[in-house]
Amino acid sequence: MSLCHSFTLTRIAVNRVTNVALEGQSEFVIKIHDINDNEPRFTRDPYVARVPEMSDIGTSVIQVTATDADDSTYGNSARVVYSILEGQPYFSVDPETGLIKTALPGMDREVKENYQVVIQAKDMAGQNGGLSGTATVNIALSDVNDNPPRFTKTLYDFRVPESIELGSAVGLIRAVDADIGENAEMDYRIIGSDGPGMFDVTTNRSTQEGVVVLRKPLDFEKKRQYSLRIQVENAHANSRFFSAGPFRDEATVKVTVEDVDEPPVFERASYVMEVKEDTARNTAIGSVSASDPDDKNSLVRYSIDRRTDMDRMFNVHAGNGSVFLLRELDREENAWHNISVIATEFSNRAPVYVRVLDVNDNAPAFATGYETFVCENAKANQRIQTVSATDPDTPLGGHRFFFSLAQEAAGKANFSVRDNKDNTAWILTRRNSYNSLQKSVYHVPVVISDGEYPMQSSTNTLTVRVCTCDREGNMKLCNAEALTARAGLSTGALVAILLCVVILLMIVVLFAALRRQRKKEPLIISKEDVRDNVVSYNDEGGGEEDTQAFDIGTLRNPEAIEESKQRRDIVPEAFYPAAVRRPAPPPIRDHNGDVRDFINQRLQDNDGDPTAPPYDSLATYAYEGSGSAAESLSSLESATTEGEQDYNYLSEWGPRFKKLADMYGGDDGDSDS
């Protein structure tokens, strides 16, 4: 608790029924004593403080304060003692007041700027068992001007042309200072120069650079190099640190003057010459003299500025500057003549540029090959075309062309030419209508002349085709030549059209070929057709040695053949009764049993197949050929005679082979019949 409280209790005894006091009241006083149950608390956390760098030991930084909620009048529960946990040996704290002070001399901001100090406040006067609290104090060192400026180089070398303007910057010099703010501000000044007053130096406050400025004109021929000694120092020096050394620095600046080609200079600014008015022509009346100020001392050439001598009364000798008369003078007419003489450098070699001047030796012509059309229902004075001209000549004042109709066509012309005075002309109709049946093409000769000397002209022909147009003047129908000209089909377009025609022809030929490939007549034309049909596969090959023939491996492995495979040449019908399969006949030979079983199995399948055609069919399995161990299975193509074979077994193959049994199973007489 924060205070020592006392409570007073009043006691009185009363009758519950009557509420009458049975005895007098009495008082009890209860006092509550404080115990140390609250730790000290700082008023802020963290604290922020600044102290100048290089401060002496014991310089106050900031005071921290901690409070304890316990009773300060009772015991030591609220007596707080301060101590520093972190921040030694740079800072210390007063244990009673909490005042933080510097504890180390020469703390330099440029080495370390920010510090963090942890302060502890402990009650019970710092004794064991007391409660404590901590706070952080962030201390920054503020800058002081304890560092002098220093040049980055001891020698600066600049090169400038002698024609540089006054007030221009010759070069920049730079010094650095580890301090910041106003402590880093610098001033530059010239403390020594072999050209007094030629240069000055100023300070750029934004960059703290020194700017060397030209104050007097330079002359390469008089002095080619200057040497300056420039000093820099802080603008706000701190005398406290002067004992550490001078707070200034020096550097040498060399300025090299570069030569620039300068014009000749006359010995005198003006010349006055007197001459009698009756002096004869070509008489020298005086002379002027100029020299080249450059080291090469080039020769000087003199000339008269004709803008000051429009009447060409004087002249000057180009080599020696002598002025002489070209015409006789008359004082009464003009007593004074003010002329100017120009002096220019003259060298032994000079580039000569020859320019070929243009003469008018080309005739103008149409800008392009013009071709146009006129409507049959055209009106008189109707514009049908605007023409322009071109000329390879390049006159100084630009081209000026004149257009007119040729004289030989002026009398019988169906068209006229109107010059627009702007290097263009209009082609106009001269009658109200034109008939393409009478004449479909007109040729209009147009004469084009230029305005130069000597005048050049040429006759150009405009082709006009007569076409049928609508009321708005749009072409509807024209002759073949006009249509080709107006359409402007290119070679690429013609090739594309021909290619399309070839493709169409190829499609027609392909379609005709497909139509010729008709399907063969089906084996079964109708269900009523009961004609005998012999199907021959006509591929009997060269026997076992013929690798191109049918693969006999299929017949030798009947297990690989799909069972109960329906025929594809007729539609299955469910109403046919299932035929009873008969057992296979006994084997004829002992070898090649697989082939024999395969044939027998196919016979039984056909006998019991309700979808088989209702007439006998002979299938020739011509795969064996010569050299076959199974010999020929075909009864029609057998090498033996009919008398040597017994065909009675055909009658045992069922009703479907009855026709064959009758043909081959009977006697010879039946066979012959």
Side-chain angles (χ1 to χ4, degrees), residues 344-356:
T344 57
E345 293 181 8
F346 183 82
S347 59
N348 293 329
R349 293 188 304 171
V352 178
Y353 301 93
V354 179
R355 179 183 178 185
V356 180

Side-chain angles (χ1 to χ4, degrees), residues 5-286:
H5 293 279
S6 61
F7 299 91
T8 301
L9 302 180
T10 302
R11 183 186 66 84
I12 185 173
V14 296
N15 191 311
R16 290 183 178 180
V17 178
T18 61
N19 202 24
V20 176
L22 300 179
E23 61 181 14
Q25 65 180 9
S26 58
E27 292 183 354
F28 297 91
V29 178
I30 301 175
K31 292 185 178 181
I32 300 176
H33 295 283
D34 182 38
I35 63 174
N36 188 18
D37 58 349
N38 292 281
E39 71 276 4
R41 296 182 181 275
F42 285 92
T43 56
R44 284 186 293 167
D45 189 15
Y47 289 86
V48 179
R50 298 182 67 86
V51 63
E53 63 174 334
M54 310 302 291
S55 297
D56 296 332
I57 297 177
T59 301
S60 299
V61 179
I62 191 174
Q63 185 175 12
V64 297
T65 303
T67 59
D68 196 321
D70 294 327
D71 188 2
S72 59
T73 62
Y74 182 79
N76 294 325
S77 297
R79 185 180 176 185
V80 178
V81 174
Y82 300 95
S83 62
I84 185 168
L85 299 181
E86 295 181 13
Q88 300 94 343
Y90 305 103
F91 301 94
S92 63
V93 61
D94 188 296
E96 299 294 334
T97 62
L99 180 62
I100 299 175
K101 302 178 180 179
T102 58
L104 191 67
M107 288 190 294
D108 193 352
R109 184 198 65 84
E110 288 74 32
V111 177
K112 184 177 181 181
E113 182 176 2
N114 297 305
Y115 296 85
Q116 189 177 76
V117 180
V118 179
I119 304 297
Q120 175 184 268
K122 189 174 184 180
D123 58 11
M124 297 296 293
Q127 299 178 4
N128 293 332
L131 303 178
S132 63
T134 60
T136 301
V137 182
N138 295 323
I139 302 175
L141 300 182
S142 59
D143 185 62
V144 297
N145 192 5
D146 58 337
N147 293 282
R150 291 288 181 263
F151 279 108
T152 57
K153 296 189 299 183
T154 58
L155 176 63
Y156 294 86
D157 192 359
F158 303 119
R159 303 181 69 87
V160 293
E162 62 176 335
S163 60
I164 186 174
E165 297 181 357
L166 299 181
S168 300
V170 174
L172 300 177
I173 57 178
R174 180 177 178 79
V176 295
D177 193 329
D179 297 323
I180 60 175
E182 66 175 12
N183 295 322
E185 293 182 359
M186 292 170 277
D187 290 331
Y188 299 86
R189 62 190 182 95
I190 298 176
I191 59 176
S193 173
D194 56 359
M198 292 292 298
F199 303 94
D200 195 5
V201 60
T202 60
T203 303
N204 186 337
R205 291 303 177 187
S206 60
T207 62
Q208 298 302 317
E209 292 177 324
V211 183
V212 180
V213 181
L214 179 66
R215 293 303 182 195
K216 292 182 179 181
L218 300 175
D219 191 344
F220 175 82
E221 288 70 31
K222 292 183 178 180
K223 190 173 179 60
R224 302 184 180 184
Q225 191 178 69
Y226 294 88
S227 179
L228 310 175
R229 289 177 55 231
I230 298 181
Q231 176 181 280
V232 61
E233 59 183 359
N234 284 128
H236 307 281
N238 192 335
S239 58
R240 173 187 170 192
F241 302 100
F242 284 173
S243 58
F247 268 68
R248 62 181 63 90
D249 195 15
E250 294 182 4
T252 301
V253 176
K254 288 187 177 181
V255 180
T256 302
V257 182
E258 296 179 341
D259 186 26
V260 175
D261 191 11
E262 298 176 279
V265 178
F266 283 97
E267 294 180 354
R268 296 161 57 183
S270 62
Y271 295 84
V272 178
M273 301 178 185
E274 297 180 352
V275 59
K276 294 182 179 181
E277 62 178 339
D278 59 349
T279 303
R281 297 179 182 180
N282 298 324
T283 301
I285 61 174

Side-chain angles (χ1 to χ4, degrees), residues 321-572:
S322 298
V323 180
F324 55 91
L325 296 176
L326 291 178
R327 294 171 54 185
E328 296 180 354
L329 304 178
D330 187 353
R331 190 195 65 81
E332 289 75 20
E333 181 180 350
N334 196 348
W336 282 92
H337 295 271
N338 297 325
I339 62 174
S340 297
V341 178
I342 302 174
T344 57
E345 293 181 8
F346 183 82
S347 59
N348 293 329
R349 293 188 304 171
V352 178
Y353 301 93
V354 179
R355 179 183 178 185
V356 180
L357 300 178
D358 182 48
V359 296
N360 190 29
D361 56 349
N362 294 283
F366 277 152
T368 57
Y370 284 97
E371 184 172 337
T372 186
F373 72 95
V374 63
C375 296
E376 290 184 338
N377 57 353
K379 303 298 182 181
N381 293 325
Q382 179 179 336
R383 182 179 64 181
I384 63 171
Q385 182 68 33
T386 301
V387 296
S388 60
T390 182
D391 191 337
D393 296 328
T394 55
L396 297 177
H399 290 293
R400 175 66 181 96
F401 300 116
F402 302 92
F403 300 85
S404 62
L405 194 64
Q407 292 184 358
E408 62 271 15
K412 56 180 180 178
N414 294 283
F415 301 91
S416 62
V417 178
R418 178 185 296 177
D419 194 338
N420 296 325
K421 309 300 183 182
D422 59 354
N423 291 339
T424 64
W426 290 351
I427 308 300
L428 306 175
T429 60
R430 295 190 64 178
R431 51 196 180 97
N432 290 328
S433 63
Y434 297 84
N435 192 342
S436 60
L437 298 178
Q438 295 178 357
K439 191 172 184 179
S440 61
V441 179
Y442 291 90
H443 298 285
V444 181
V446 179
V447 178
I448 307 176
S449 305
D450 57 20
E452 299 299 314
Y453 179 83
M455 181 177 293
Q456 302 287 346
S457 63
S458 65
T459 302
N460 300 262
T461 301
L462 174 68
T463 301
V464 181
R465 302 185 184 276
V466 181
C467 303
T468 303
C469 305
D470 55 16
R471 293 182 179 179
E472 287 75 19
N474 300 318
M475 184 181 67
K476 296 173 58 179
L477 181 63
C478 207
N479 58 71
E481 295 179 356
L483 285 176
T484 304
R486 300 296 293 181
L489 291 177
S490 63
T491 304
L494 294 176
V495 172
I497 294 174
L498 293 177
L499 183 60
C500 293
V501 173
V502 172
I503 293 175
L504 290 176
L505 291 176
M506 293 177 62
I507 293 175
V508 172
V509 173
L510 180 61
F511 180 74
L514 293 177
R515 289 292 302 271
R516 286 197 298 268
Q517 294 180 357
R518 298 178 179 178
K519 295 183 179 179
K520 294 182 179 180
E521 190 177 42
L523 295 177
I524 303 175
I525 300 176
S526 65
K527 295 181 179 180
E528 290 77 14
D529 189 356
V530 294
R531 294 177 298 174
D532 293 342
N533 188 24
V534 178
V535 180
S536 176
Y537 293 93
N538 295 328
D539 62 350
E540 185 169 2
E544 302 290 317
E545 296 144 10
D546 187 359
T547 59
Q548 301 299 324
F550 183 79
D551 186 7
I552 195 171
T554 304
L555 296 179
R556 294 185 181 277
N557 295 278
E559 293 82 0
I561 305 301
E562 182 181 355
E563 293 292 338
S564 303
K565 187 173 182 181
Q566 294 183 354
R567 296 186 56 164
R568 300 181 180 177
D569 56 344
I570 61 173
V571 179

Side-chain angles (χ1 to χ4, degrees), residues 563 581 596-606:
E563 293 292 338
R581 297 189 178 185
R596 196 164 48 246
D597 294 343
F598 171 78
I599 300 298
N600 293 333
Q601 180 64 37
R602 283 294 175 264
L603 289 175
Q604 293 179 12
D605 292 344
N606 282 278

